[in-house]
C-alpha cells in the first residue's frame, strides 16, 4: 500500500491510499482525479495517463519499458525527464509518500 499525492495542474492536491498492485492511473480514475483520463484502461495504448513523478518515485521506479517509452513520445503535454505513464506504475510500499504532478492536458 502506498499513499500517493496527485497534484493537478490547477494546484488541487489529493492523497490516495493505493493498494499494492494497483496502477496509479487506476487509483486516480477510481478516486475522481480529473487530470488522468486513462482512456485505454491501462494497456499502454493511449498516453492519457501521463504524469510527472517526484524525486522519491524517480529514485525507486524501474526505468520505463519499450512500450511505455513509445507512448511517452505521444503525450499531449510537454514531455519532461520525469514523465511517466501512470498506468505503468504499480503501487507498493516502496512508493509510499510519493507524488505525481499532472499535466494541463492529456489529449
Ligand atoms: S491508460 Fe492508456 S496508456 Fe496509460
Amino acid at each position: 500500500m502506498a499513499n500517493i499525492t496527485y497534484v493537478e495542474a490547477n494546484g488541487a492536491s489529493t492523497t490516495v491510499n493505493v493498494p499494492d498492485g494497483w496502477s496509479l492511473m487506476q487509483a486516480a480514475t477510481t478516486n475522481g482525479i480529473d487530470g488522468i483520463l486513462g482512456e485505454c484502461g491501462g494497456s499502454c495504448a493511449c498516453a492519457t495517463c501521463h504524469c510527472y513523478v517526484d524525486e522519491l518515485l524517480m529514485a525507486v521506479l524501474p526505468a520505463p519499458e519499450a512500450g511505455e517509452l513509445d507512448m511517452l513520445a505521444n503525450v499531449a503535454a510537454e514531455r519532461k525527464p520525469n514523465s511517466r505513464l501512470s498506468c505503468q506504475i504499480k503501487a507498493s510500499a516502496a512508493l509510499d509518500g510519493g507524488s505525481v504532478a499532472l499535466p494541463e492536458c492529456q489529449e
Side-chain angles (χ1 to χ4, degrees), residues 25 36-50 71 85-88:
M25 178 280 287
I36 290 180
L37 301 181
E39 288 181 349
C40 76
S43 57
C44 201
C46 72
T48 63
C49 62
H50 180 204
M71 291 310 297
L85 296 182
S86 57
C87 71
Q88 300 302 302

Side-chain angles (χ1 to χ4, degrees), residues 7-29:
V7 182
E8 301 195 54
N10 66 5
S13 174
T14 307
T15 299
V16 175
N17 197 315
V18 186
D20 284 352
W22 278 42
S23 75
L24 300 197
M25 178 280 287
Q26 187 179 9
T29 56

